[in-house]
Amino acid sequence: MFTPRAFAEHDLVWLDRLLARDPFVTVLTTGSDGLPELTRLPVLYRRDGQRIELLGHWARANPQARHAGAAKVLVDGPHGYISASWYPDKDSAARVPTWNYAGAELCGRLEPFDDEDALAALVGELSDHFEAGVGQHWRFEPERGEQRRQLRGIVGFRFHTEQVQIKLKLSQNHPDANRQAVIAALEQLPGHAPGELAQWMRHHRGQAAAGD
């Protein structure tokens, strides 16, 4: 992932925030034809200091489920269009529009597994985690034969992270007056997405100011 120095972030708390916000990631591998293969899927995120692990599963019919070894995972964050008209110095500095966003790229290794008990534990943990997020209580019950048989249709994986790139392109390469003006403009736009991007910009700006 191309990440100019101004937009590189090394504090893993931002990765925590990204995956708390959106655990639906893109898993990238190389197929037998040499072209990229990708799957969009939800994951469980675990971090202990610098040690980072993702867990999830593919449909068994997915060709990527046969992959073990090197892989990348892309994590999405908030994003949005930034109008040059919002910058106070738009004329004097000949500003142009851009797109602000946050995201991460994880490089590491996939370890697939199809042990039935391990799959049952994974599906149980996934359902418990995401059911709680919508205020519901459905549970996977592996003791029920009709539910346990469905495990035959999936392959689980552990993704062991070896390298993390976090990119926060949040106008930090602009004068502070421009950053504040962009935040204010985004907060006036309708919908959830512009306000969320403004919130991330405000938080990043505050964190940078606290570190000065």
Side-chain angles (χ1 to χ4, degrees), residues 5 12 32 34 49 70 73 82 90-92 104 106 113 122 125 128 150 156 173 176 178 187 191 197 199 201 212:
R5 184 179 300 177
L12 291 177
S32 58
V73 172
I82 306 300
K90 56 184 175 293
D91 294 325
S92 61
L106 312 183
F113 61 89
L122 171 62
E125 190 173 353
D128 288 348
Q150 296 189 47
N173 58 328
D176 193 55
N178 283 4
E187 289 176 336
L197 180 57
Q199 182 184 47
M201 289 182 65
D212 289 343

Side-chain angles (χ1 to χ4, degrees), residues 72-117:
K72 291 185 176 184
V73 172
L74 305 182
V75 184
D76 295 327
H79 62 92
Y81 177 76
I82 306 300
S83 171
S85 66
W86 295 339
Y87 300 131
D89 65 354
K90 56 184 175 293
D91 294 325
S92 61
R95 298 295 184 185
V96 295
T98 191
W99 204 275
N100 275 7
Y101 59 93
E105 177 186 293
L106 312 183
C107 298
R109 304 190 68 79
L110 282 167
E111 176 194 344
F113 61 89
D114 60 5
D115 174 77
E116 197 170 86
D117 288 338

Side-chain angles (χ1 to χ4, degrees), residues 184-206:
L186 288 170
E187 289 176 336
Q188 296 303 309
L189 295 178
H192 170 74
E196 183 188 23
L197 180 57
Q199 182 184 47
W200 277 60
M201 289 182 65
R202 188 180 295 281
H203 184 79
H204 185 267
R205 176 176 172 270

Side-chain angles (χ1 to χ4, degrees), residues 115-184:
D115 174 77
E116 197 170 86
D117 288 338
L119 287 174
L122 171 62
V123 172
E125 190 173 353
L126 279 164
S127 58
D128 288 348
H129 178 75
F130 291 111
E131 284 285 314
V134 297
Q136 297 300 312
H137 308 285
W138 183 89
R139 295 188 67 253
F140 178 70
E141 300 175 84
E143 66 275 8
R144 294 176 55 186
E146 65 272 25
Q147 288 199 13
R148 193 172 188 90
R149 280 192 292 273
Q150 296 189 47
L151 297 174
R152 300 171 188 168
I154 64 173
V155 174
F157 68 82
R158 300 177 185 88
F159 178 78
H160 303 287
T161 304
E162 297 171 350
Q163 181 183 13
V164 177
Q165 281 185 281
I166 303 170
K167 185 173 183 178
L168 303 179
K169 184 176 179 291
L170 302 174
S171 298
Q172 62 266 51
N173 58 328
H174 277 260
D176 193 55
N178 283 4
R179 297 178 75 179
Q180 293 190 64
V182 169
I183 291 169

